[in-house]
C-alpha cells in the first residue's frame, strides 16, 4: 500500500473569499479522482483582509502586497505546508518580490494557465480580470517566448469588468446583466482573433464557463488547483 505521508501539504495564500473558497473546494473534490473517494491532500489556508490588499493595489505598492503574501507564507509554513499557491491573479503582480523572500516554493497561477493553453494549441488569448490584473504584465510577461499572442479588451470594458468583479463577484453577487456584460466582452475578444479567453480573476468562473462563453475558457482557479493536486501527489 502506498504511504500517504508522501502526499505534500498544500498551503493556500488567500486574498478574496470567493476565489480562495472555490480553489479549496476544487482541490478537495478533484483529488478524489487520484486518491479515492473523499480523499485529498492536507490543506492549510491563511488570508489577510481583502481591504488591506485593495489599499496596496490602489497605491501600486507591490512591496506592501508582497509583505502580506509573505506573512501568510510564514504562517502556512508553521502549519506544515510544503508548497504554496495563491488563487488570486491580481496580486501575482508582486510575485517577483514574494519568490525572492519566500520560505517555501510556489506555483505561479499563470504558468498553470499557459501550460493548458499550450496543450490545447491556442494561439491568441484574451485576458479578463480586474483592472489591476488586465493592465499588468502578469500574463504578458509569462507568455513571452511561448509563441502565444494575447489581447486586452477595450479600456472601457476593462474598467467596467473590474468594477463588477470588485463590487459584485467578490461578494458572491451574481446578476444576469453582469453575466451578459462579460459574455459581450468575450465576444469582442473572439471577433478580434482570440481563440480562447483567460478567466484571469478567480471569481469569474462563478458566472462564466465553456457552456455560456463563445470562446473556450481557461479557468485560472481550477487550473491552479489541478496543478497543486498533481504537485502534492507526485511522489505518491
Amino acid at each position: 500500500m502506498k504511504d500517504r505521508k508522501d502526499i505534500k501539504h498544500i498551503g493556500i495564500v488567500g486574498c478574496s473569499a470567493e476565489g480562495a473558497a472555490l480553489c479549496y473546494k476544487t482541490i478537495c473534490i478533484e483529488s478524489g479522482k487520484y486518491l479515492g473517494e473523499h480523499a485529498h491532500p492536507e490543506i492549510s489556508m491563511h488570508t489577510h483582509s481583502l481591504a488591506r490588499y485593495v489599499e496596496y493595489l490602489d497605491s501600486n505598492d507591490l512591496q506592501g502586497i508582497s509583505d502580506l503574501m509573505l506573512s501568510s507564507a510564514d504562517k502556512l509554513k508553521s502549519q506544515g505546508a510544503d508548497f504554496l499557491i495563491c488563487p488570486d491573479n491580481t496580486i501575482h503582480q508582486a510575485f517577483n518580490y514574494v519568490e525572492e523572500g519566500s520560505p517555501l516554493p510556489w506555483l505561479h497561477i499563470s504558468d498553470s494557465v499557459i501550460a493548458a493553453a499550450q496543450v490545447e494549441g491556442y494561439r491568441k488569448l484574451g485576458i479578463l480580470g480586474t483592472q489591476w490584473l488586465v493592465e499588468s504584465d502578469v500574463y504578458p510577461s509569462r507568455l513571452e517566448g511561448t509563441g502565444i499572442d494575447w489581447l486586452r479588451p477595450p479600456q472601457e470594458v476593462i474598467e467596467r469588468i473590474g468594477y463588477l468583479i470588485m463590487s459584485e463577484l467578490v461578494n458572491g453577487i451574481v446578476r444576469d446583466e453582469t453575466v451578459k456584460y462579460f459574455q459581450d466582452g468575450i465576444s469582442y475578444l473572439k471577433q478580434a482573433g482570440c481563440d480562447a479567453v483567460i478567466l484571469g480573476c478567480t471569481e469569474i468562473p462563478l458566472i462564466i464557463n465553456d457552456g455560456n462563453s463563445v470562446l473556450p475558457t481557461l479557468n485560472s482557479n481550477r487550473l491552479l488547483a489541478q496543478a497543486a493536486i498533481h504537485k502534492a501527489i507526485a511522489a505518491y
Side-chain angles (χ1 to χ4, degrees), residues 148-215:
I148 301 176
D149 199 3
W150 55 272
L151 182 68
R152 299 180 175 104
Q155 188 62 33
E156 64 182 48
V157 176
I158 293 173
E159 293 175 8
R160 180 62 179 169
I161 283 179
Y163 170 78
L164 292 170
I165 290 170
M166 296 305 297
S167 64
E168 296 182 12
L169 299 190
V170 299
N171 295 312
I173 298 170
V174 176
R175 298 189 307 126
D176 291 342
E177 299 93 327
T178 298
V179 175
K180 178 65 164 56
Y181 193 86
F182 275 75
Q183 290 173 320
D184 289 345
I186 296 171
S187 294
Y188 167 85
L189 293 169
K190 180 178 182 180
Q191 292 168 6
C194 294
D195 52 5
V197 59
I198 298 170
L199 305 186
C201 167
T202 47
E203 284 80 23
I204 298 178
L206 296 170
I207 63 170
I208 295 294
N209 54 60
D210 285 343
N212 67 358
S213 169
V214 295
L215 284 176

Side-chain angles (χ1 to χ4, degrees), residues 7-235:
I7 301 174
K8 293 185 182 297
H9 182 156
I10 302 170
I12 300 177
V13 175
C15 184
S16 68
E18 291 287 346
L22 181 57
C23 185
Y24 171 79
K25 181 178 179 180
T26 301
I27 292 172
C28 291
I29 292 174
E30 298 206 7
S31 292
K33 293 185 293 187
Y34 309 98
L35 300 175
E37 188 176 15
H38 306 310
H40 59 76
E42 188 171 357
I43 307 167
S44 295
M45 188 189 315
H46 181 266
T47 60
H48 283 289
S49 171
L50 177 58
R52 296 187 67 190
Y53 278 112
V54 170
E55 178 184 351
Y56 289 132
L57 286 164
D58 281 340
S59 60
N60 195 33
D61 185 350
L62 298 185
Q63 186 62 61
I65 295 170
S66 172
D67 289 345
L68 290 180
M69 295 174 74
L70 288 172
S71 169
S72 290
D74 288 336
K75 290 179 172 64
L76 290 167
K77 182 180 180 181
S78 72
Q79 293 297 313
D82 294 303
F83 69 95
L84 304 170
I85 60 173
C86 176
D88 187 283
N89 292 268
T90 297
I91 62 175
H92 274 73
Q93 294 175 72
F95 192 79
N96 290 342
Y97 297 91
V98 171
E99 196 170 31
E100 290 174 1
S102 179
L104 292 172
W106 292 68
L107 298 181
H108 193 293
I109 194 167
S110 71
D111 291 343
S112 306
V113 172
I114 293 167
Q118 290 173 317
V119 168
E120 296 296 331
Y122 297 136
R123 307 308 303 165
K124 187 173 183 179
L125 307 179
I127 304 175
L128 289 187
T130 65
Q131 184 173 350
W132 299 300
L133 180 280
V134 178
E135 293 179 347
S136 78
D137 68 349
V138 168
Y139 279 94
S141 65
R142 308 293 274 210
L143 284 165
E144 284 186 14
T146 65
I148 301 176
D149 199 3
W150 55 272
L151 182 68
R152 299 180 175 104
Q155 188 62 33
E156 64 182 48
V157 176
I158 293 173
E159 293 175 8
R160 180 62 179 169
I161 283 179
Y163 170 78
L164 292 170
I165 290 170
M166 296 305 297
S167 64
E168 296 182 12
L169 299 190
V170 299
N171 295 312
I173 298 170
V174 176
R175 298 189 307 126
D176 291 342
E177 299 93 327
T178 298
V179 175
K180 178 65 164 56
Y181 193 86
F182 275 75
Q183 290 173 320
D184 289 345
I186 296 171
S187 294
Y188 167 85
L189 293 169
K190 180 178 182 180
Q191 292 168 6
C194 294
D195 52 5
V197 59
I198 298 170
L199 305 186
C201 167
T202 47
E203 284 80 23
I204 298 178
L206 296 170
I207 63 170
I208 295 294
N209 54 60
D210 285 343
N212 67 358
S213 169
V214 295
L215 284 176
T217 62
L218 290 163
N219 179 340
S220 61
N221 196 319
R222 184 165 185 261
L223 291 168
L224 178 64
Q226 290 174 331
I229 293 169
H230 290 305
K231 183 174 179 64
I233 67 174

